[in-house]
Amino acid sequence: MKITVFSSKAYDEQYLSAEARDHALTFVGARLDATTAAVAAGNDAVIAFVNDALDEDTLTRLADLGVRLVLLRCAGFNHVDLAAAERLGLAVAHVPAYSPNAVAEHTLALIMALNRKIHRAFNRVREGNFALDGLIGFDMKGRTVGLVGTGAIGAAAAGIFKGFGCTVLAVDPYPSEQLVADGVRYVAFEALLREADIISLHCPLTPSTKHIIDAPAIALTKTDVMLINTSRGALVDTRAVIDALKGGQIGSLGLDVYEEESDLFFEDLSDQVLHDDVFARLLTFPNVIITGHQGFFTHEALSAIARTTMDNADQFARHGTPVHPVTQHMNR
Ligand code: NAI
């Protein structure tokens, strides 16, 4: 098949080229939207990423150009208008679980950096400041962690927290018997908010999980709670989180995703003025660490993403359906 890869970086080209098989891949740096879709004219499929605009306009343009398949090189599909895709006869595929460990381990990197103030210690030592004031952390052993979502990534995170000797609470409409056997305790969302020292989000973004962490939810948490979001930005009401950081209700915040990240992440904007005042305010807190959606960014994950993306392409070429289709009913 002829396939255009949008939002492509050097590392995408490296890993996808290695798995191209008999497909002809064209790599385009531009983000996919209704305007840039024209680049895919004459192609059978497009490969898109998390911040490509897969709304009705873009999908209509793609269908008009003869594209039949949208291959997401990511797990989340909240950014795709699946109803429009279905109406237009466009198949959509994703990569469901390429390396849950990559994201779970990044979650731990954020937690441990915030807890032991590594970001501040790093700068201090480089400046010859060896004072320890302000760097007090806490032992992970014995702390209570609340996981919102225990699918592939949440389950991997649960295993790591168990290794630390944490009590692990979880919320998921589909509890895992294996995790229960491993000692994870499923509770109501409100109970998780009340009891957890660290809350970590691992559920997909859907209409029912948007702003699942909002002002009323934050009001139920322990004072000084640590909040971690490596899932999707809009799970968190960022303005409510900023208020809670100012008031001390949230003690520390680790983000790998941000509600408005599509205007920022994955690009070098270091010589530009930051226009997003909410994001700029987040950057002023000493107890906030933000990474730019890099949870997935390991060798193992990139290899698995490329392999599964091209498996989806292969099976669609042979049998008319991808290995991992995404359909409307999954987006509730
Ligand atoms: P998964 O589909 O294996 O697990 C998601 C779990 O969330 C399921 O068990 C589901 O039942 C549960 N869930 C759904 N609604 C819920 C609710 N209201 N409350 C609690 N749980 C709920 O997905 P996986 O692979 O674990 O990924 C989770 C999310 O992580 C993805 O949706 C994606 O947004 C994000 N992600 C982030 C990456 C990064 O680089 N930062 C990379 C990959 C995924």
Side-chain angles (χ1 to χ4, degrees), residues 75-99:
F77 44 81
N78 51 281
H79 57 313
V80 186
D81 185 337
L82 292 171
E86 237 159 88
R87 211 167 42 246
L88 293 160
L90 272 170
V92 181
H94 73 145
V95 183
Y98 39 88
S99 173

Side-chain angles (χ1 to χ4, degrees), residues 12 18-19 62 78 89 103 188 195 267 282:
D12 295 309
E19 285 286 346
L62 290 173
N78 51 281
V103 185
E195 292 176 41
E267 303 302 329
L282 280 177

Side-chain angles (χ1 to χ4, degrees), residues 98 149 151-153 171-174 202 204 209 230-232 256 293 296:
Y98 39 88
I153 295 170
V171 169
D172 195 305
Y174 302 98
H202 300 289
T209 60
T230 57
S231 205
R232 283 292 178 268
D256 188 47
H293 209 135
F296 72 100

Side-chain angles (χ1 to χ4, degrees), residues 317-330:
R318 291 202 191 98
H319 306 293
T321 51
V323 187
H324 301 289
V326 179
T327 54
Q328 251 190 96
H329 78 273
M330 294 163 73

